[in-house]
Structures are given as structure tokens and as C-alpha cells.
Amino acid sequence: TPDAAQLIYDPRFLKQKTPWVNEQPPISFRFPLYTTSAIAGEDYKAENLRGMTCPECGKCNARVKWEGWECTGCGFEHKPKITPLPAASIQDQNYPVSDAYPSSHDSALPHIKISVNFSHNYRWITYKFKVSATEEGEVVHGIANKVVREEVRGPNQMWEHLQTNCHGLVRRELSNALMNSFTMNYGMPYKFIAAGDSLPFTDAPWPVTEAVSRLNWADRITSGNAVKDKEKFNELYLVAYLQDQSMNYHDDGEKGLGSTVATLSLGGRAEMGFRPKSFFFHGMKSIDYNRKRMTVMTKDEPLPEFPNYELRKQYLEEIKNANFSESEEKERLAEMATALRAAYPPKQSCTRVEDWVRLSLGHGDIVIMRGAHLQKYYEHGVSPKGLMRYALTCRTVLPGHLKESELPDYEVDLVQDEYDGSRIAK
């Protein structure tokens, strides 16, 4: 073994290189630009959200706009022409439709009250949700048949028009990251958590104003009340979901909104689940009090279907009759939360909640949610079961909700109720 101390450094050793016959140059990080597919629907896959390395300046850019990619460094744009997906292509063979009233693929737990009506080629299913011992909210699912879908200026034509004539959709920033879906708001500004600019209805593609008119009509005929102008929907939030994109559980009960929310689903099939919020169902929530994080029992009235119903009623009666100070009450509520957790059977979650109702949303279906407390105590989420989908959701932004600086610089004219369902009356 040679003595390392006796070895003499020679730079020729480091410069010596034996060629390798299989050697290739490194792969370029400037990946080729996306080119549209000749196969309808391929352009709507979630993989097409990937970013772009600018071929001009080399900067990496996220895809923000629906129309394509734009470099924030040098301004280079890449807007490939998307191959539209015909309405006939989104028909799921497992869910055939005809001129007859459509069947339902919804599901609900046994304690949910359900009523069914038929009109205008829709099957209208109403699900009643208890929010207290005396108050209910409701969700109405209008299932469209072939006549509705093929109506003039109906779901099929709306779907095909939006794919090529709905510019301005963008991925908005949410918690320092971009949303997966593309969105745009029309009418009154909607102070959504991912805030963005709004456009007047006069600048919207015709399917937007058509959707507002249809949803106003659907709200009227399913509620039995003539909706006054001040109660009409004055805002529409358009969301474009690529294939396999979902919406996590949330509520639409932001402050300053009316008690009714309605949505029109266009495109691929999806499932919409409704469930009680965890704090309402389990009766526990985490709070910060005196610089300490603690789990306490809530003081919301439980329903008989909730776990530990009798125990929670007993605890609420104790809190009601006790003369606790604020700190004493918080400590007692924390003790009650501990007792509630201990009362659960082994392996049963004290946080998870299953869906009480699951709607199977098809192309052209309408969903109406009514009741302010429905949004307070229940939440809903959407999971895709098909190709790309549009959700056109209407709300009523109440007067005085927005600050003067938040008011739009355009006139928000209500969409007139031109749609009356006469073309699909049955």
C-alpha cells in the first residue's frame, strides 16, 4: 500500500478523462410548449395546468389564464387553440337520458325528509335538513332530461359556447397559491376568499345571463314565491373545472349574502355531498382563550341524530342554569368536551362526518340551497366523475354589504326574467 504522505499531486490526474461511448448532452429544462390535441377532451385534463418555461427568456411561469400561458418576464404568450368538446361527447352511457322524466341517482340517509315533484321536464327533489328543533333548511335538485338539454339556448348550446367564448377566466390566488380551477365573477362583487375582479353582466357571454335568468326562474317555481327585484340574484360566479378537479367541503354563508344560493352544472358528471359541520355534529370545537388553545363543547342545540345527544342536552341545561363567569364557563365547557370524547365507542372518530345527502349532478342539472342556517351548520363538497365541468353559481349580494371602495364602477343591472320555461313545459 503506498504511503499517502509520499504521493505527489499531479494536475494531469484530474484532467484525465476516458470517453464514454454512451454519453449524451444533458436534457434541456426548456420543455416544449404544449400543443393542442386532435382528440376532443384531451385539452381539459388536469395535467395541462403545468407551467411553461419561456422559450424567449427562460423564465418559469405558471398557467394563470384560461386562454393559455403568458410569461411575466418578457411578455411572451402561448395560446393554443383548444379543440372543443361537443355536447354529445359528454353523455355518460351509464346515465342515459331520454324525453321522459329522468331517474335519480342521489342517495340520502333515512332521517332526511324527501319530496319529489315533476314539471318542465325536470325531476325536482327537495331534501329537508334540520338546523334546530324547529327550523329547517332545504336543498333542491333539479334533474334535467334530454328535452331540457337540447332546448334552444339550453345546456348543450351554453356548454359549447362557453368553451370558445369565455375569455377572462383565471386561476386566482388562495393562501399564497393558485387555485386549480379557473374563475370569473359577474355582476356584484363577491368577496370570496380568493378575491378577484368582477365584470358587469353586459360584458358577460350570453350563457352567463341565461343562467342567471334560468336560476331565478327555478327558484320561483320551486319555492312557490314570486321573487321581488331586491331578492333576485345579482351575482354569478363562473368556475371551470378541468378533468378530475374537485371542490373541497365549504359553505356559501359569507356575511352579506342572501339566504338562497343556486347553481347550474354544465359538462361532466359530478357528485355533490352535504353533511353537518363537525362542530355542529360532534358538539366540539377548538378555540383560543387567554393565550391558550383548548377544545370546548359548543352551545349549539344538538339534533337527535347526533352522537351523545342526551349527554349534550344535559350539559347544555347545566350551562344554561349555572351562573359561571366567562373563564369558569370556558373551563367547564373544556371538561365537557373531554367527557364527550370519552363517551365515543372505540375506533369511532369524534371529528369525521359522513355525507347525509349525495347528489349525482348531470349536465344541465340545477341545485338550489335555501336557508341562512343551512350554510351556517352544513357544508358541501363536489367530486368529479367525468370530464371537464362548468359551475355557474348565483347569489344575492345584499345592499350595504360592500364598502364604498369595494363597489363596482359600473351599473349592476339585474338580469331580467326573460326565461319562463315555456319551451320545456310539460
Side-chain angles (χ1 to χ4, degrees), residues 362-421:
H363 175 54
D365 284 8
I366 289 174
V367 177
I368 303 172
M369 297 173 277
R370 293 196 187 98
H373 286 95
L374 177 69
Q375 303 294 342
K376 179 179 179 181
Y377 292 117
Y378 290 82
E379 58 188 2
H380 55 276
V382 182
S383 56
K385 298 297 178 184
L387 298 172
M388 180 227 172
R389 187 177 76 94
Y390 290 106
L392 297 90
T393 303
C394 283
R395 303 169 182 83
T396 302
V397 179
L398 300 177
H401 165 53
L402 299 174
K403 300 176 183 177
E404 187 172 348
S405 60
E406 297 170 334
L407 292 173
D409 57 2
Y410 51 82
E411 190 72 24
V412 181
D413 292 326
L414 292 177
V415 174
Q416 298 305 312
D417 289 326
E418 299 173 355
Y419 187 77
D420 59 5

Side-chain angles (χ1 to χ4, degrees), residues 28-47:
S28 173
F29 285 103
R30 297 194 182 188
F31 297 107
L33 298 176
Y34 175 78
T35 56
T36 54
S37 173
I39 303 175
E42 288 292 307
D43 296 326
Y44 297 137
K45 290 189 174 180
E47 302 91 83

Side-chain angles (χ1 to χ4, degrees), residues 27-262:
I27 298 175
S28 173
F29 285 103
R30 297 194 182 188
F31 297 107
L33 298 176
Y34 175 78
T35 56
T36 54
S37 173
I39 303 175
E42 288 292 307
D43 296 326
Y44 297 137
K45 290 189 174 180
E47 302 91 83
N48 297 331
L49 283 179
R50 71 179 187 182
M52 171 194 73
T53 305
C54 180
E56 301 291 338
C57 68
K59 183 177 181 180
C60 295
N61 299 271
R63 181 182 176 183
V64 177
K65 297 183 177 181
W66 173 258
E67 296 95 320
W69 292 259
E70 180 179 326
C71 179
T72 57
C74 66
F76 171 82
E77 293 184 344
H78 177 56
K79 297 181 178 180
K81 188 175 180 180
I82 294 175
T83 304
L85 189 62
S89 300
I90 60 176
Q91 173 56 48
D92 190 333
Q93 299 303 315
N94 294 318
Y95 300 89
V97 293
S98 67
D99 295 347
Y101 278 113
S103 57
S104 170
H105 300 276
D106 297 351
S107 60
L109 296 185
H111 66 268
I112 298 294
K113 291 193 291 186
I114 303 174
S115 60
V116 182
N117 292 292
F118 300 90
S119 73
H120 299 83
N121 284 279
Y122 282 93
R123 175 190 290 262
W124 301 101
I125 309 176
T126 301
Y127 301 92
K128 297 284 188 178
F129 291 80
K130 283 186 178 180
V131 294
S132 70
T134 58
E135 187 178 356
E136 291 180 326
E138 66 180 23
V139 173
V140 180
H141 181 195
I143 307 175
N145 72 354
K146 185 178 179 181
V147 175
V148 174
R149 294 183 180 185
E150 296 180 352
E151 180 188 5
V152 176
R153 294 174 69 87
N156 284 359
Q157 292 183 9
M158 297 168 76
W159 160 260
E160 293 180 350
H161 185 88
L162 284 175
Q163 293 179 76
T164 55
N165 296 276
C166 193
H167 305 297
L169 285 168
V170 296
R171 296 170 63 197
R172 304 194 184 279
E173 190 170 318
L174 177 64
S175 302
N176 298 319
L178 291 175
M179 297 176 64
N180 283 332
S181 53
F182 296 83
T183 67
M184 176 52 70
N185 193 74
Y186 297 94
M188 285 292 287
Y190 173 39
K191 294 173 64 176
F192 183 59
I193 189 170
D197 296 332
S198 297
L199 294 176
F201 286 127
T202 52
D203 291 350
W206 69 260
V208 168
T209 51
E210 180 72 18
V212 178
S213 182
R214 282 172 176 261
L215 292 174
N216 272 323
W217 165 80
D219 185 35
R220 285 198 307 274
I221 68 167
T222 57
S223 66
N225 297 321
V227 181
K228 298 178 181 178
D229 279 355
K230 67 178 182 179
E231 297 170 331
K232 287 182 179 178
F233 298 126
N234 58 9
E235 176 269 347
L236 184 142
Y237 192 61
L238 172 61
V239 183
Y241 298 96
L242 297 184
Q243 185 176 359
D244 298 329
Q245 289 184 342
S246 60
M247 176 66 76
N248 291 331
Y249 282 89
H250 66 286
D251 66 71
D252 290 322
E254 291 88 348
K255 185 178 179 181
L257 299 181
S259 60
T260 301
V261 179

Side-chain angles (χ1 to χ4, degrees), residues 204-371:
W206 69 260
V208 168
T209 51
E210 180 72 18
V212 178
S213 182
R214 282 172 176 261
L215 292 174
N216 272 323
W217 165 80
D219 185 35
R220 285 198 307 274
I221 68 167
T222 57
S223 66
N225 297 321
V227 181
K228 298 178 181 178
D229 279 355
K230 67 178 182 179
E231 297 170 331
K232 287 182 179 178
F233 298 126
N234 58 9
E235 176 269 347
L236 184 142
Y237 192 61
L238 172 61
V239 183
Y241 298 96
L242 297 184
Q243 185 176 359
D244 298 329
Q245 289 184 342
S246 60
M247 176 66 76
N248 291 331
Y249 282 89
H250 66 286
D251 66 71
D252 290 322
E254 291 88 348
K255 185 178 179 181
L257 299 181
S259 60
T260 301
V261 179
T263 186
L264 170 65
S265 183
L266 300 175
R269 184 164 289 275
E271 286 194 354
M272 189 174 190
F274 291 84
R275 67 186 187 188
K277 293 182 180 179
S278 181
F279 79 87
F280 184 44
F281 184 75
H282 293 287
M284 293 174 281
K285 66 179 180 180
S286 296
I287 64 169
D288 291 312
Y289 184 71
N290 284 343
R291 300 181 180 180
K292 184 173 65 173
R293 190 72 171 169
M294 58 196 307
T295 300
V296 298
M297 187 188 79
T298 65
K299 293 192 287 185
D300 298 297
E301 192 74 22
L303 300 179
E305 296 80 14
F306 291 174
N308 298 320
Y309 171 71
E310 294 295 341
L311 184 58
R312 287 168 64 180
K313 292 280 287 184
Q314 174 187 328
Y315 283 159
L316 285 175
E317 191 67 22
E318 176 187 336
I319 293 295
K320 180 180 178 181
N321 295 326
N323 189 22
F324 289 134
S325 65
E326 182 181 3
S327 59
E328 289 173 338
E329 181 178 284
K330 290 292 189 293
E331 290 297 331
R332 181 62 183 130
L333 289 173
E335 293 172 356
M336 291 174 174
T338 301
L340 289 178
R341 284 198 299 267
Y344 279 81
K347 298 184 179 180
Q348 180 176 330
S349 173
C350 60
T351 57
R352 194 170 69 88
V353 185
E354 294 182 345
D355 287 330
W356 280 19
V357 171
R358 287 195 71 82
L359 309 182
S360 181
L361 298 182
H363 175 54
D365 284 8
I366 289 174
V367 177
I368 303 172
M369 297 173 277
R370 293 196 187 98

